[in-house]
Amino acid sequence: MSQILLRQLFPDEPTFGGTTHGMQGSAIRHLFMTLAVSSLAARGGGPLRMIEIGSWTGFSALTWAQAMGAFHPAGGSLTCIDVWQPYFTGADLAKGDIYGTMDDLASTGLAYDLFVHNTRFVPKNVRVDHFRGRSRDILPLLQEGAFDLVYIDGSHYFDDVGHDIAGGDRLLREGGILCGDDLNLQAHECDLDHAARSIEENYVEDPRTGQHFHPGVTLAVDRFFGGPVSAFSGFWAMVKGAQGYRPFVPAGAQFLVPDHFPAWLRQTILQTVAADPDLAPRAG
Ligand SMILES: C[S@@+](CC[C@H](N)C(=O)[O-])C[C@H]1O[C@@H](n2cnc3c(N)ncnc32)[C@H](O)[C@@H]1O
């Protein structure tokens, strides 16, 4: 029902507004996501195959799709995996905040309907498909070593992130990029004992820095890679090699500001870019 309504209300555009929490995280991270796609595209070859774990209403999915469409003439496919069901623990829900609203959007099916609506607006040379279920159940069903990029932005609880990283690693081919969102602090930057005591919580304040962060993401990334990873405003990315992972360095890569960013956000991003001597020359 709401998919029909969404088509009527927004026939020609995706929608991330209202209180849908459609625009999650820091927008500047999307530029680094497009840099990652540009660096894969620079190698040439056939259609890219990418996976996104945790899609919500499709904001990041559209960024991946647009970057593939723009930078890689052969286009590609994006496989989105999400439960589109309530997933926060009772302790997090009790904090109120964004948790209750997201829970409602998930349990009523609106988050899923928004995702389906929004991902209609992808470039012609990109296909988006999706699996609705827990990533730990879906990832083992996908083909080992067949993907160019796996992006992890599902549950941020430690055990889930650990499963997603290990599952994503299995699916990635050599040279592929394993990446994710919401690495606000790395293990060497936070109070590790406090982080270890907080892995059952989504988002907490680090007593060492006073910054809020996702302890599950911080600790799971550290456990898998065994040290610091390349990170750009919370977006982390590593390249799979024959001997393990190496930092992702976006040398020579280009970025784009996605079309689905509203005008005010585009403006803010372009101002940030103009002031950054590293980013400014890379505009695609
Ligand atoms: C932070 S949101 C994703 C935001 C999205 N990447 C974006 O930037 O637009 C996290 C998503 O992970 C999903 N999720 C939570 N636990 C999951 C699990 N175990 N497996 C798959 N998806 C999960 C939630 O339903 C939610 O849509």
Side-chain angles (χ1 to χ4, degrees):
M1 170 62 189
S2 52
Q3 275 178 34
I4 298 170
L5 189 60
L6 286 166
R7 275 184 190 237
Q8 308 246 344
L9 290 172
F10 306 98
D12 305 317
E13 60 188 3
T15 176
F16 300 98
T19 53
T20 63
H21 296 290
M23 291 180 269
Q24 300 239 344
S26 148
I28 195 83
R29 297 175 196 180
H30 289 244
L31 301 197
F32 293 102
M33 292 159 62
T34 69
L35 282 168
V37 177
S38 159
S39 77
L40 289 172
R43 301 175 192 164
L48 292 170
R49 294 187 71 187
M50 303 186 8
I51 292 178
E52 172 173 274
I53 303 169
S55 297
W56 192 234
T57 63
F59 197 61
S60 51
L62 284 197
T63 295
W64 293 122
Q66 267 191 45
M68 257 194 285
F71 292 132
H72 197 55
S77 64
L78 176 68
T79 301
C80 297
I81 302 167
D82 198 302
V83 277
W84 289 293
Q85 287 291 330
Y87 70 100
F88 291 120
T89 61
D92 276 332
L93 281 173
K95 295 176 185 167
D97 195 24
I98 175 177
Y99 299 105
T101 323
M102 281 186 70
D103 211 62
D104 289 344
L105 286 162
S107 62
T108 55
L110 188 53
Y112 176 71
D113 287 340
L114 280 162
F115 168 82
V116 172
H117 172 79
N118 289 336
T119 50
R120 289 171 49 224
F121 300 94
V122 295
K124 287 198 167 35
N125 58 350
V126 176
R127 197 188 77 233
V128 175
D129 47 35
H130 67 270
F131 289 93
R132 190 172 186 174
R134 292 191 317 166
S135 48
R136 68 174 69 202
D137 299 326
I138 306 289
L139 292 174
L141 308 177
L142 303 178
Q143 191 187 352
E144 182 170 351
F147 294 88
D148 300 287
L149 183 145
V150 178
Y151 173 64
I152 299 169
D153 192 20
S155 157
H156 290 3
Y157 298 119
F158 175 73
D159 191 51
D160 292 329
V161 185
H163 265 91
D164 289 346
I165 295 178
D169 170 50
R170 187 186 73 83
L171 299 176
L172 211 55
R173 67 168 175 76
E174 204 180 304
I177 297 176
L178 190 58
C179 57
D181 199 14
D182 287 326
L183 184 65
N184 314 73
L185 288 174
Q186 302 211 36
H188 65 279
E189 297 169 321
C190 69
D191 177 337
L192 267 185
D193 289 337
H194 172 266
R197 288 195 302 276
S198 311
I199 54 171
E200 300 296 327
E201 291 183 74
N202 178 58
Y203 195 53
V204 297
E205 183 178 335
D206 169 48
R208 181 171 153 199
T209 59
Q211 247 183 272
H212 276 78
F213 77 123
H214 297 273
V217 176
T218 297
L219 292 186
V221 166
D222 184 61
R223 173 168 293 186
F224 183 82
F225 293 104
V229 296
S230 344
F232 316 86
S233 302
F235 170 71
W236 61 268
M238 298 290 279
V239 180
K240 185 172 183 171
Q243 312 297 330
Y245 280 83
R246 62 180 183 273
F248 167 65
V249 182
Q254 286 185 301
F255 70 80
L256 57 80
V257 182
D259 289 347
H260 60 291
F261 275 30
W264 64 267
L265 186 54
R266 167 173 289 271
Q267 192 58 30
T268 312
I269 292 282
L270 289 176
Q271 280 165 3
T272 310
V273 166
D276 186 324
D278 186 44
L279 278 177
R282 298 168 183 267

